[in-house]
Amino acid sequence: MELKDKVAIITGAAGGIGKATAKLFADEGAKLVLVDLKMEALEEAAQELALEPHQYLLVAADVSKEEDVANYVRQAKEKFGRVDVLFNNAGIEGLVAPLVEQTAENLDNVLNVNVKGVFFGIKHVLPIMIEQKSGSIINTSSIAGWIGFPGITPYVASKHAVIGITKNAALEAAHTGVRVNAISPAPIETRMMRAVEEGSAPGKAEEMKKAYTEAIPMKRYGEPEEVAQLVLFLASDRSRYITGSTYLIDGGYVAQ
């Protein structure tokens, strides 16, 4: 069991990738701190995953608010005594529309969750990990952190920012025993992609999914469980000499 007795915080834990990662981490022996916006969704996820009561803590939090982030980190430390892994995974896609039709409100919402959420998570977990002289932080970027996607400019900007934050945090922490990396998924079979498909062509979501799928060299979306396996690798000691890196998991999309 690669994460036996390790304590892992997962944000966006009630969503597709977060929930798949929670299941895999639990199977690998981790104690879990599951964070999402609504407690009801977290409770449903914990029940679906059949987690043992002693194995997890649920914390409702808005990751765009620093006090909420500080609170989930504090609760994790109080319950389990340490934090070994932070999977900074919470994110939103925002409004799908051309740049000239994007609102200031949507830009703020996307940047607040996708950028501030990652920034605050690292800021508040890092001191605990530095004191322990060990820890792994994994941030969720996207292939939209590497290339452009018309219609989701705020999201693209936010995911580029996540890669920048990852590099800087990794450099600042490299001498402490703490590692910071990021993952960049292509379209994954989750609620977010359903929203992007519908937003790209209202009423023609199935057609958009076919078009997105055709653009991927492997001709399919990824599965949340496949992303979870990459997160496990970066969380585990198998990646102990890896920091400051961003891993594509995209079926070959960015290689084109």
Side-chain angles (χ1 to χ4, degrees):
M1 301 217 300
E2 295 199 64
L3 299 181
K4 184 172 172 54
D5 298 328
K6 297 286 182 73
V7 177
I9 299 173
I10 300 173
T11 69
I17 292 173
K19 193 158 52 176
T21 303
K23 182 180 188 308
L24 183 58
F25 278 18
D27 290 344
E28 292 294 333
K31 296 180 175 66
L32 303 174
V33 180
L34 304 181
V35 180
D36 215 304
L37 194 58
K38 296 182 179 179
M39 181 58 75
E40 296 84 357
L42 286 167
E43 289 170 346
E44 287 178 13
Q47 186 173 11
E48 181 182 334
L49 297 173
L51 299 175
E52 296 293 330
H54 69 277
Q55 193 178 18
Y56 70 93
L57 170 69
L58 307 180
V59 185
D62 179 345
V63 299
S64 71
K65 297 178 179 177
E66 185 169 9
E67 60 270 27
D68 280 19
V69 175
N71 178 58
Y72 77 63
V73 174
R74 182 171 56 251
Q75 287 199 47
K77 181 72 159 55
E78 288 174 356
K79 181 171 179 65
F80 294 118
R82 58 187 295 115
V83 178
D84 299 288
V85 179
L86 169 63
F87 182 28
N88 248 332
N89 174 64
I92 60 172
E93 70 280 358
L95 177 69
V96 181
L99 187 151
V100 295
E101 296 175 14
Q102 291 283 349
T103 65
E105 180 183 15
N106 182 61
L107 177 63
D108 286 344
N109 287 342
V110 173
L111 295 182
N112 283 343
V113 174
N114 296 1
V115 180
K116 286 184 178 180
V118 168
F119 184 95
F120 293 147
I122 297 172
K123 176 182 176 180
H124 288 278
V125 160
L126 205 50
I128 295 171
M129 291 184 171
I130 290 173
E131 186 177 355
Q132 296 167 177
K133 299 182 180 178
S134 67
S136 177
I137 298 170
I138 303 106
N139 303 318
T140 298
S141 180
S142 165
I143 56 171
W146 295 64
I147 56 179
F149 277 91
I152 51 171
T153 300
Y155 182 80
V156 170
S158 73
K159 294 305 185 177
H160 275 71
V162 168
I163 292 176
I165 292 170
T166 298
K167 291 176 179 178
N168 243 51
L171 291 174
E172 291 185 11
H175 66 288
T176 70
V178 180
R179 301 180 295 107
V180 187
N181 294 289
I183 61 168
S184 289
I188 305 296
E189 291 285 3
T190 62
R191 178 218 57 83
M192 181 179 286
M193 279 312 300
R194 301 292 88 82
V196 171
E197 290 156 4
E198 180 61 29
S200 299
K204 298 182 179 180
E206 277 301 316
E207 292 177 31
M208 290 309 303
K209 182 175 183 179
K210 288 179 183 176
Y212 289 140
T213 300
E214 198 57 34
I216 300 169
M218 291 183 73
K219 305 303 179 190
R220 68 176 179 88
Y221 282 16
E223 296 292 338
E225 293 76 14
E226 293 172 317
V227 180
Q229 289 289 348
L230 176 58
V231 180
L232 173 62
F233 169 71
L234 292 171
S236 75
D237 289 340
R238 286 186 292 155
S239 58
R240 60 184 176 271
Y241 194 55
I242 298 173
T243 197
S245 294
T246 301
Y247 282 78
L248 287 160
I249 178 164
D250 69 345
Y253 195 106
V254 176
Q256 298 177 102

